[in-house]
Amino acid sequence: MTTETPSTLPDGRPFPLLTGAERPLLESWLDYHRATLALKCSGLDDTQVRTASAAPSALTLLGLVQHLAEVERNWFQRVFAGLDVAPVYEDETGYALDPGRGLGEALGVWRREIARGRELCAGRSLDDTGRISGGPLDGVEVSLRWVFVHLVEEYARHNGHADILREGIDGVTGA
């Protein structure tokens, strides 16, 4: 008996591949984690996504979305593609909240950063490399494979934070 793996979960997130070539597997896991972050923010208003619900931390869901937009820009544009691009937000971490910026705008920026990263990686080998710029690893070479693995790890960690934040806001758990 053969059972087909679903392409999406009941909540609409893409189901990560279980078999196949390395690149599609890595991309599917990254897409799954990106969709998980969006799901954690769904159904909340701008006030709720600004709520730091895991005291004593000041972390918010809006801050996480903004931070991950910065992460996408940094690793795909600066490190992998070697582009000299300014930070997305005034605070390079992305965590600082601007009173005039709501979730819709932040999600739009985040999605544009994802799309730009996909453009820059299209047709490139997992063995192609870029260089880290700044910090203690300045000049260190990393492969696109490493960048994908690192982003899966980064999203997985922050989705754990998002899970705790969401539960503190309205009690929603899981995913």
Side-chain angles (χ1 to χ4, degrees), residues 110-137:
W110 173 65
R111 288 183 178 113
R112 283 192 298 276
E113 293 304 315
I114 291 168
R116 181 67 175 131
R118 284 185 173 134
E119 288 171 16
L120 293 169
C121 295
R124 303 291 300 272
S125 165
L126 289 175
D127 294 323
D128 286 349
T129 61
R131 291 199 181 273
I132 295 174
S133 178
L137 298 178

Side-chain angles (χ1 to χ4, degrees), residues 141-162:
E141 187 176 66
V142 294
S143 69
L144 180 57
R145 175 182 291 103
W146 187 92
V147 171
F148 273 122
V149 170
H150 175 65
L151 261 71
V152 168
E153 173 271 329
E154 180 97 5
Y155 270 94
R157 181 166 24 97
H158 287 312
N159 281 337
H161 299 139

Side-chain angles (χ1 to χ4, degrees), residues 48-113:
Q48 290 172 306
V49 295
R50 292 172 173 279
T51 303
S53 62
S57 174
L59 188 63
T60 65
L61 285 169
L62 181 56
L64 280 176
V65 170
Q66 293 176 170
H67 171 68
L68 287 161
E70 291 287 2
V71 165
E72 293 274 351
R73 176 171 284 196
N74 183 61
W75 289 102
F76 289 120
Q77 293 184 49
R78 289 190 193 103
V79 174
F80 181 66
L83 301 176
D84 183 16
V85 292
V88 178
Y89 298 106
E90 47 290 337
D91 166 23
E92 291 183 21
T93 68
Y95 290 121
L97 303 182
D98 177 327
R101 185 173 39 250
L103 180 61
E105 179 183 342
L107 285 170
V109 168
W110 173 65
R111 288 183 178 113
R112 283 192 298 276
E113 293 304 315

